[in-house]
Amino acid sequence: MTKEHLGLCLALAIPFFVVVTRVDMTPEPVTKHTTETIAKLLKHPDVRKLPFPVRRAEDAVVCAKNVKDGRIAPVFHVSSVTGAGLGLLQRFLNLLPVRRDWRGLVREPLEV
């Protein structure tokens, strides 16, 4: 995620989450530094989000229920090679609430 992506999410009031990838390839000090940098960025006065590291299935459930409030920003550490953390990310995505009921809009006219 770049600062520009974060800025767009904040400007549009879109809930977001952070995924740190390639954790299998990076040395531990680099991963730790990246995590600290993300936490510092999320805690910045202009952002004011609480970084919530997702390490267990229960964390994913809590984040999915609370991410719409806009106070927390879940942080996932994943590896596409080993699959580490992908189950937590998948669980989180499956539990996210629907932001809009599209089924009800099917009956409305297409043109406004």
Side-chain angles (χ1 to χ4, degrees), residues 51-102:
F52 193 104
V54 180
R55 295 190 177 104
R56 302 178 322 218
E58 296 81 20
D59 295 340
V61 173
V62 168
C63 286
K65 289 181 180 177
N66 295 310
V67 74
K68 66 180 176 180
D69 298 334
R71 182 69 185 111
I72 66 168
V75 179
F76 296 88
H77 288 80
V78 300
S79 167
S80 297
V81 176
T82 65
L86 289 176
L88 295 173
L89 181 59
Q90 183 178 15
R91 177 176 287 238
F92 170 76
L93 291 172
N94 286 332
L95 292 172
L96 283 176
V98 178
R99 290 192 69 199
R100 188 168 188 176
D101 185 14
W102 294 102

Side-chain angles (χ1 to χ4, degrees), residues 4-55:
E4 290 81 14
H5 290 105
L6 179 61
L8 285 172
C9 288
L10 293 171
L12 298 173
I14 298 173
F16 63 90
F17 56 95
V18 179
V19 180
V20 179
T21 60
R22 299 184 181 195
V23 295
D24 58 320
M25 298 175 58
T26 56
E28 183 63 32
V30 174
T31 303
K32 184 177 179 180
H33 179 265
T34 302
T35 304
E36 290 171 355
T37 304
I38 291 169
K40 185 190 294 186
L41 181 64
L42 292 174
K43 291 178 181 179
H44 191 274
D46 292 337
V47 180
R48 293 190 314 267
K49 299 282 184 184
L50 179 66
F52 193 104
V54 180
R55 295 190 177 104

